[in-house]
Amino acid sequence: MPVFETRGNHFYYENEPITLRSGAIHYFRVVPEYWEDRLRKLMAVGFNTVETYVAWNVHEPKEGTFVFDGIADLEAFVKLAGSLGLHVIVRPSPYICAEWEFGGLPAWLLENGDIRLRVSDPAFLEKVDAYFDELLPRLVPLLSTNGGPIIAMQIENEYGSYGADHAYLEYLRDGMIRRGIDVLLFTSDGPETAMLRAGSVEGILATVNFGSRTRQAFDILRKHQPEGPLMVMEFWDGWFDRWLAPHNTRPSSEIVTELEQMLELEASFNFYMFHGGTNFGFMNGANHVNYYEPTVNSYDYNAILSEDGEPTETYFAVRKLLSERLGLTPPELPAPLPKKAYGRVELTQSTPLFESADALSGGAIRSVCPEPMEKVGQAYGFIMYTTTVGDEHNGGNLILQEVRDRALVFADGQQIGLVNRWEPQPGIKLNVPTGTRVRLDILVENMGRINYGPLMRDRKGITEGIRVGNQFLHDWEIRPLPLSDLSSLEFAPLLQEGQPAEHRSKARTGDEYSAEGWGETSDAQPAFYRGTFNADDTADTFIRTDGWAKGVVWINGFLLSRYWQAGPTKTLYVPAPLLRVGENEIIVFELHGFGGAADSGTPAPFVELTDVPDLG
């Protein structure tokens, strides 16, 4: 069978020297119907290899429950790539970073508050072993040593940026080998001596990740690893976007300059990303440097193939360079996929969250303290905490201790405050008339777990407690709202005039869209809105959410994306396979009320389906 190996400073495949020209495509960020389109476009730029991470939380969303079908069908993706003539690099580390929720780790790991992540903690290794026992046997038949397309696999990901437990890395290496992984193994780290020393394993190929200063990065790698092929496992051709920040772009000329240096050094490369795709649903990650920074749902990354699969200026520049320097004649590009503007869709039905919360959550959980999501078996979405306070707390200062990540606070159904994790919390003054008790409802949104750095033990919801002054409040009802199943919602026609304020849309002023607030003055309750539209055919489209403040969108029952007018992204990508000929359903969960109807001339809230993306 074909063997992929290193000899001296070169890779060899079937005894012939080979330079890997690779691009990253994450199967779990692309609908399966488009895998072939994206792979053929990778080949058409002149690449011979595709690389993908494997996200643990995609394949084991609940402990002991494994998913390997649909968008999670890793084996089908690898087989398809092989059938097209591509080599495949697989990176199945327990941790992947990738701006993906919790760096690919499953949220249920955090049910155990004492577990140590990414070290040789027996509690963590036990979970990794159970996962590898299911995952790795699926990959063994696809290894090049067994006639398949997988030529190399990663042990851990950028471990030198996190820790220095070599026993942990060796445990992963030995576990992969013991389960039949006999292709080339490697590690990847930043081009710094401390990172390479901490993240490398003796006898295993070390690679580096960088976006610029190619020669300097490879010089550092060569000092660490005097012999072996040069490879950048992640050449960052763009960067990801985060909420409340501008859209990231990068000039084509910079990419070409760095690639020219790689070719001069005869180095192998993997473009991260070739095609970024989309963080569907609640699967975006977050970073935390000086403060919490959640990632947007679009993972366009300013990659050389756009989120919706369109070749960019950089794509053609890279194609031209590879053709000229290497004498390649890459295949022709596949025909462009159609885009369509389906127009305005009115959302004529609604139902308030508070009236639906029991059905959505399966009923309240009684608890002395407001426990975090993970303690009640919840991974993603929202969670609501409810209690009452008496007039002894009138004028008191309500503090949400360690809220993660964004909380709306209601008193008897009226919003009295908003708490953002990334902003100072002065507290919310309570107004409790003499002789009364006030119901407090606190709706907390998980905006994505931290995927990189030392703060990854990122539980969600209220993680410490809720207090008035220094006195903690007890006796809570907890309603988990993962929003994974909306079938219990009972929609009613949405009226505009004469309907109570908490049910109807509300026009807001520009001041209410400040980054510091985003809705704390709204008198609208969170609610679900529903509408339908008919399609004669299906094509890619983009949902504009102008007039909406913040929330989530479903298309035909598929949890599509978050939206937030804080930007930068202004549209949500809808791949054509999510649509159907005939009637299509859109549901919007809005936290602050729709603000566009007052001056639109439209009698109902709406979204616009356009054929042009707007990433900010």
Side-chain angles (χ1 to χ4, degrees), residues 103-115:
L105 298 174
W108 49 260
L109 287 172
L110 297 177
E111 293 177 24
N112 176 358
D114 296 326
I115 197 168

Side-chain angles (χ1 to χ4, degrees), residues 13-150:
Y13 182 76
E14 291 190 300
N15 289 317
E16 294 292 332
I18 184 175
T19 298
L20 299 183
R21 304 183 304 275
S22 179
I25 301 176
H26 300 155
Y27 58 96
F28 48 86
R29 281 176 158 138
V30 182
V31 293
E33 294 87 346
Y34 282 173
W35 287 346
E36 183 170 348
D37 174 80
R38 289 5 180 199
L39 289 169
R40 288 192 179 278
K41 288 171 179 172
L42 179 142
M43 298 169 67
V45 82
F47 291 177
N48 58 15
T49 305
V50 64
E51 175 270 320
T52 185
Y53 276 129
V54 180
W56 183 359
N57 54 14
V58 168
H59 296 293
E60 194 178 3
K62 295 183 179 180
E63 186 172 9
T65 299
F66 294 96
V67 179
F68 285 93
D69 58 5
I71 203 169
D73 197 340
L74 168 62
E75 296 157 275
F77 178 79
V78 172
K79 290 176 182 177
L80 174 61
S83 73
L84 296 175
L86 287 165
H87 302 300
V88 180
I89 298 171
V90 177
R91 302 168 75 186
S93 317
Y95 163 80
I96 64 172
C97 187
E99 291 73 58
W100 188 254
E101 221 279 339
F102 201 13
L105 298 174
W108 49 260
L109 287 172
L110 297 177
E111 293 177 24
N112 176 358
D114 296 326
I115 197 168
R116 298 286 185 177
L117 304 172
R118 301 179 70 194
V119 293
S120 47
D121 175 357
F124 180 63
L125 296 181
E126 178 186 6
K127 309 302 183 186
V128 173
D129 280 336
Y131 169 52
F132 274 10
D133 283 343
E134 182 68 29
L135 171 69
L136 296 184
R138 296 174 177 271
L139 297 178
V140 168
L142 302 176
L143 302 178
S144 61
T145 48
N146 293 319
I150 299 175

Side-chain angles (χ1 to χ4, degrees), residues 534-581:
N534 286 303
D536 295 330
D537 54 10
T538 61
D540 286 1
T541 191
F542 305 87
I543 297 179
R544 291 200 67 94
T545 54
D546 304 288
W548 301 90
K550 192 176 193 303
V552 189
V553 175
W554 289 258
I555 183 85
N556 292 328
F558 181 87
L559 178 52
L560 186 65
S561 292
R562 307 176 197 265
Y563 64 88
W564 192 9
Q565 294 309 319
T569 53
K570 301 298 183 185
T571 54
L572 310 180
Y573 172 50
V574 184
L578 298 181
L579 302 179
R580 53 194 177 216
V581 174

Side-chain angles (χ1 to χ4, degrees), residues 42 64 87 156 192 214 254 274 289 357 435 446 448 515 538 542 562 593 615:
L42 179 142
H87 302 300
E156 233 271 7
E192 297 182 15
T214 294
E254 291 185 7
F274 168 75
V289 182
N446 167 3
T538 61
F542 305 87
R562 307 176 197 265
L615 300 180

Side-chain angles (χ1 to χ4, degrees), residues 482-510:
L483 304 186
S484 54
D485 180 2
L486 304 186
S487 61
S488 64
L489 292 179
E490 296 183 2
F491 287 94
L494 176 66
L495 304 176
Q496 288 297 298
E497 297 302 325
Q499 189 170 7
E502 64 269 19
H503 291 196
R504 67 175 183 264
S505 59
K506 172 185 177 290
R508 293 180 299 276
T509 67

